[in-house]
């Protein structure tokens, strides 16, 4: 089990962030400015939950180095400001790459204090290729259809079957979208952000990104530091590991988080009757996995689907009671129905997931170099699996198309930045998807950033999820730029919320604000 690199400072001095424009440091290709951008046409598209949402579309160049060439369309959403004091647009992104951000605008506007949200136009968007943006990519529909081969390649035949599947996905992407794939990457998405800024008529943007959205925001700040007014990065990607090393680091962190879940089940042995020793509970989980590898539950949940179902528990502990109920029902009573229900709720892929995965691979495989020799993947993943068996091979096959991707790769962006105004970072110490060390790294690379740590927290995406201490810091920063400043690399500490209590097994009851947020952020982000 890896150590979390954390020395947490107890007290932190609070200073007001001075948000002045700074000169551009890069020489990006031509991009729109506010003088030449066509105005957006907003139309009502409200829902019962978010009735004030408005929608618009924006054409941007497929290739930003050829601004008059082929155009693609981005889908945008907005909750307009209502206060007399207007602080500009707040662009929000849920991560991915591949997650739709249209509904997130409504969620953020509703979850922020009214007085804060009212001062911003909260802007959501579907990045290029995603959701309602056009074209929307779907390389190989049904790629995650059940029942897949066991992810752990314990035989040469299993390894070859999984390799064939990964190659088929990469080949399908190249055949269907060969003219588009060279332009599905983080830098292109960043230039889209600047087109959105220009179309909004704003000299600067405010930005709020979760997960991969933290990398998107950091790269935007690198290319356009003078156009950033305020930026919030929640659950921070390590930009020095993009993307192969970051995924290996995830495997260790998810294994730790899975064991924390097993310990939680053991603590509630009177409810789940799976044992009071976490090691024994974990052994029963792997025995369940082995049984499902032999015979899928309900013809839907094999070993790989079981992993798909339980991986979301590593993102958000609000799912633990429902996953534990399904686990216990299968092991104690040979009742597969709750497990199948949990799979359909948390693990099964639909059309939007197929689209999201197509963009996930397109961006990650293009953003940075991946090993092209499968022997390197085999060596690294078996070594990782020996210490962290829970997710390693499932994650390896999720990313394996990058070994065979039909486009060349770009160089990762060095996001080190002394010109961007103060940026506020939020990070849980036990986050599995973006391990804690990444936030420490970004705190160092963004010279004027501040890091707020949720001590003992393991969820991914922690603001606007019920922790009043974190949300108070967020609201203060968005109100007037106030950011904490401490010593030792951590600027403020909030204690994590308690783990959930066991509840009934009805999955539909996951309706808290945290569950709503994590439904928007999705998984594998």
């Amino acid at each position: 089990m890896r150590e979390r690199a954390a020395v947490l400072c107890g007290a932190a001095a609070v200073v007001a962030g001075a948000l002045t424009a700074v000169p551009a440091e890069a020489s990006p290709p031509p991009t729109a400015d506010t003088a030449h951008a066509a105005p957006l046409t907003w139309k009502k598209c409200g829902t019962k939950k978010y009735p004030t949402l408005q929608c618009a579309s924006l054409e941007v160049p497929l290739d930003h180095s050829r601004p008059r060439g082929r155009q693609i369309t981005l889908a945008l959403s907005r909750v307009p400001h209502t206060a007399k004091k207007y602080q500009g647009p707040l662009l929000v992104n849920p991560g991915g790459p591949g997650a739709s951000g249209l509904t997130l605008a409504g969620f953020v506007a509703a979850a922020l204090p009214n007085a804060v949200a009212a001062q911003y136009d909260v802007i959501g968007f579907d990045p290029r290729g995603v959701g309602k943006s056009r074209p929307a990519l779907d390389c190989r529909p049904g790629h995650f259809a059940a029942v897949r081969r066991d992810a752990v390649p314990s035989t040469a035949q299993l390894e070859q079957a999984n390799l064939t599947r990964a190659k088929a996905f990469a080949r399908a992407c190249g055949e269907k979208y060969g003219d588009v794939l060279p332009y599905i990457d983080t830098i292109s998405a960043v230039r889209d952000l600047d087109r959105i800024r220009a179309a909004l008529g704003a000299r600067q943007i405010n930005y709020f990104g979760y997960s991969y959205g933290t990398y998107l925001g950091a790269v935007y700040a690198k290319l356009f530091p003078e156009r950033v007014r305020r930026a919030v990065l929640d659950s921070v990607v390590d930009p020095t590991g993009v993307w192969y090393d970051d995924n290996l680091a995830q495997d260790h962190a998810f294994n730790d988080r899975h064991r924390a879940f097993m310990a939680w089940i053991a603590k509630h042995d009177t409810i789940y009757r799976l044992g009071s020793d976490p090691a024994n509970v974990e052994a029963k989980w792997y025995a369940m996995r082995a049984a499902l590898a032999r015979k899928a539950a309900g013809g839907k949940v094999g070993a790989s689907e079981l992993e798909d179902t339980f991986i979301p528990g590593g993102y958000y502990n609000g799912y633990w009671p429902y996953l534990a109920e399904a686990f216990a029902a299968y092991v104690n009573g040979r009742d597969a129905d709750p497990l199948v229900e949990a799979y359909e709720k948390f693990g099964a892929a639909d059309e939007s997931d197929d689209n999201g995965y197509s963009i996930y691979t397109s961006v990650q495989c293009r953003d940075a170099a991946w090993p092209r020799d499968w022997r390197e993947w085999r060596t690294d993943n078996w070594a990782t699996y020996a210490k962290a068996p829970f997710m390693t091979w499932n994650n390896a096959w999720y990313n394996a198309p990058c070994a065979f991707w039909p486009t060349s790769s770009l160089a990762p962006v060095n996001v080190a930045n002394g010109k961007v105004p103060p940026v506020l970072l939020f990070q849980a110490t036990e986050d599995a998807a973006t391990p804690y060390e990444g936030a420490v790294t970004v705190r160092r690379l963004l010279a004027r950033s501040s890091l707020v740590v949720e001590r003992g927290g393991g969820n991914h995406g922690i603001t606007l999820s019920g922790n009043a201490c974190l949300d108070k810091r967020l609201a203060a920063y968005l109100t007037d730029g106030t950011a904490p400043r401490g010593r030792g690399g951590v600027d403020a500490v909030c204690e994590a919320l308690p783990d959930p209590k066991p509840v009934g097994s009805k999955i539909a009851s996951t309706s808290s604000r945290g569950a709503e947020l994590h439904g928007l952020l999705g998984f594998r982000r």
Side-chain angles (χ1 to χ4, degrees):
M1 188 177 295
R2 295 188 311 160
E3 295 290 334
R4 292 288 182 265
V7 178
L8 303 180
C9 302
V14 177
V15 297
L19 300 172
T20 56
V22 295
E25 85 165 87
S27 297
T31 187
D33 60 28
T34 57
H36 298 93
L40 295 168
T41 301
W42 294 99
K43 299 179 180 180
K44 293 181 179 180
C45 62
T47 64
K48 184 177 181 180
K49 196 171 191 88
Y50 306 119
T52 60
L53 269 177
Q54 301 171 350
C55 294
S57 61
L58 174 67
E59 287 194 345
V60 299
L62 174 65
D63 178 357
H64 281 278
S65 69
R66 300 178 59 217
R68 298 186 183 278
R70 178 181 172 184
Q71 304 292 297
I72 60 174
T73 302
L74 303 180
L76 311 180
S77 65
R78 176 179 74 168
V79 177
H81 74 282
T82 56
K84 290 182 178 179
K85 181 180 179 181
Y86 176 52
Q87 300 209 49
L90 174 63
L91 275 66
V92 298
N93 180 269
S100 168
L102 299 181
T103 304
L104 184 65
F107 173 84
V108 169
L112 284 171
N114 291 336
V116 178
Q119 298 178 30
Y120 291 91
D121 286 340
V122 183
I123 307 294
F125 60 97
D126 280 353
R128 55 175 52 205
V130 174
K132 293 185 178 180
S133 292
R134 294 292 180 265
L137 275 58
D138 189 348
C139 294
R140 191 168 181 252
H143 183 70
F144 290 98
V147 174
R148 307 195 308 275
R149 297 294 186 96
D150 191 336
V152 178
S154 55
T155 67
Q157 291 80 6
L158 277 173
E159 181 181 50
Q160 188 55 54
N162 281 302
L163 276 172
T164 298
R165 179 171 168 269
K167 291 176 181 178
F169 187 87
R171 183 171 59 251
C173 283
E175 290 172 352
K176 292 178 72 172
Y177 304 112
D179 57 336
V180 174
L181 291 184
Y183 310 103
I184 306 294
D185 55 74
T186 296
I187 292 175
S188 295
V190 157
R191 290 168 182 153
D192 290 345
L193 282 182
D194 205 55
R195 286 277 179 154
I196 295 172
R197 174 201 61 79
L200 292 169
R203 184 176 64 86
Q204 294 179 309
I205 63 168
N206 306 282
Y207 181 83
F208 184 4
Y210 290 94
S211 194
Y212 163 79
T214 67
Y215 183 66
L216 183 68
V219 175
Y220 183 86
K222 180 71 172 186
L223 266 62
F224 304 105
E226 79 286 2
R227 294 174 185 172
V228 177
R229 181 173 179 270
R230 292 182 188 142
V232 178
L233 308 181
D234 182 329
S235 303
V236 185
V237 166
D238 185 347
T240 66
V242 175
W243 290 109
Y244 183 75
D245 289 343
D246 276 353
N247 276 279
L248 290 172
Q250 272 191 342
D251 297 336
H252 290 278
F254 268 100
N255 200 73
D256 291 350
R257 196 65 185 145
H258 185 63
R259 285 180 171 168
F261 177 29
M262 298 296 102
W264 179 86
I265 292 174
K267 180 180 177 181
H268 297 289
D269 182 48
T270 57
I271 303 295
Y272 300 116
R273 297 183 296 109
L274 289 166
S276 58
D277 181 349
N280 288 340
V281 176
E282 185 178 10
K284 288 182 179 180
W285 192 91
Y286 283 103
M288 175 175 65
R289 187 192 186 285
L292 293 170
R294 294 188 294 270
K295 182 179 179 182
K300 292 183 177 181
V301 186
S304 293
E305 290 74 27
L306 179 73
E307 291 167 343
D308 294 345
T309 303
F310 276 73
I311 284 170
Y315 284 85
Y316 177 52
N317 63 3
Y319 301 145
W320 286 3
Y322 313 100
L323 295 173
E325 287 277 357
F327 178 13
Y330 183 83
V331 171
N332 294 331
R334 293 299 174 216
D335 180 1
D337 289 346
L339 193 60
V340 172
E341 183 186 357
Y343 165 69
E344 291 174 343
K345 178 70 176 180
F346 301 122
D350 58 19
E351 289 182 7
S352 67
D353 295 309
D354 286 344
N355 167 240
Y357 181 64
S358 296
I359 296 300
Y360 172 93
T361 47
S362 297
V363 171
Q364 294 220 341
C365 299
R366 173 70 170 151
D367 265 2
W370 293 71
R372 292 285 181 162
D373 185 342
W374 182 252
R375 290 174 296 183
E376 185 173 346
W377 291 68
R378 182 189 296 128
T379 298
D380 290 343
N381 281 281
W382 275 122
T384 302
Y385 177 82
K387 298 179 179 179
F390 169 61
M391 188 177 101
T392 295
W393 276 109
N394 189 297
N395 199 28
W397 297 120
Y398 197 83
N399 291 283
C402 291
F404 314 104
W405 203 247
T407 67
S408 60
S409 60
L410 303 171
V413 177
N414 178 358
V415 303
N417 199 328
K419 297 183 178 181
V420 70
V423 173
L424 188 58
L425 315 175
F426 289 93
Q427 184 67 40
T429 56
E430 309 305 315
D431 182 0
T434 52
Y436 178 81
E437 294 83 357
V440 174
T441 297
V442 172
R443 164 66 167 74
R444 184 180 71 250
L445 293 174
L446 302 184
R448 291 192 280 170
S449 61
S450 295
L451 174 59
V452 180
V453 167
E454 186 183 49
R455 179 164 45 197
N459 289 340
H460 179 68
I462 54 175
T463 57
L464 304 183
S465 192
N467 189 319
C469 175
L470 297 173
D471 291 351
K472 183 178 179 180
R473 296 285 187 183
L474 173 64
Y477 177 74
L478 291 177
T479 297
D480 59 16
T482 298
R485 177 57 62 181
R487 296 180 180 180
V490 173
D491 302 288
V493 176
C494 292
E495 298 301 326
L497 298 176
D499 283 332
K501 295 180 179 180
V503 296
S505 61
K506 193 172 182 181
I507 291 175
S509 65
T510 55
S511 58
S512 68
R513 196 169 81 183
E516 184 179 356
L517 172 64
H518 288 86
L520 295 172
L521 301 187
F523 313 123
R524 306 280 196 175
R525 313 303 192 202

